[in-house]
Amino acid sequence: MAPNSSAAARPRAELDLADSLGHELVRFIRLINKAKSQVSKQGPDGIERAAYAILFTLIHEGPQRTSRLADSLHAEISTISRQSSSLVQHGLVERQADPEDGRACLLAPTAEGLRVFEENRKQRNQWLAEVLEDWSEEDRQNLNRLFGRLNTGIEKHSPQLADAQAPTAAPAKGATA
């Protein structure tokens, strides 16, 4: 988050509102992290929860090399290699020959990997629906619209944070993590 040189020229009320939003965003991130930590470190199938990020990335961005996954997930190649091996052993990911370089391999989700992805997605959606169940339909729609707008604003002002594969509009059903 690079400081903007025009920040000093912003009205006090605008900065106070930004401060309040910043507080709520930090609170949100802490709550999400707590919710994630309540789920065991390993899923019922013995796979590290962190390994699912690989599966999700492969589903969204397509087959790719371990090195590209490591870059995309900001992780060490050794970590990605260990986690992807577990996913391969459990039949969620498969290795394929790289069509551009026969000496290399790509990791790709299997049909079982897609099924597990969808099951995790359904569980997440059920949880979110429960969290928002006492909100009006209008409030839920506004939250979704404003969250998308916030993410677009962050990407616009910090292009290095933008996901190259992020949809610019609402993602198609079945295409979200």
Side-chain angles (χ1 to χ4, degrees), residues 55 58-59 91-92 109-120:
L55 179 61
L58 294 173
I59 288 171
L92 304 179
T110 63
E112 178 64 4
L114 290 168
R115 186 196 66 74
V116 167
F117 168 81
E118 284 301 321
E119 184 60 34
N120 278 284

Side-chain angles (χ1 to χ4, degrees), residues 19-32:
D19 185 57
S20 180
L21 176 61
H23 172 79
E24 290 302 326
L25 287 172
V26 168
R27 180 176 168 220
F28 173 76
I29 291 168
R30 285 182 181 155
L31 288 167
I32 291 298

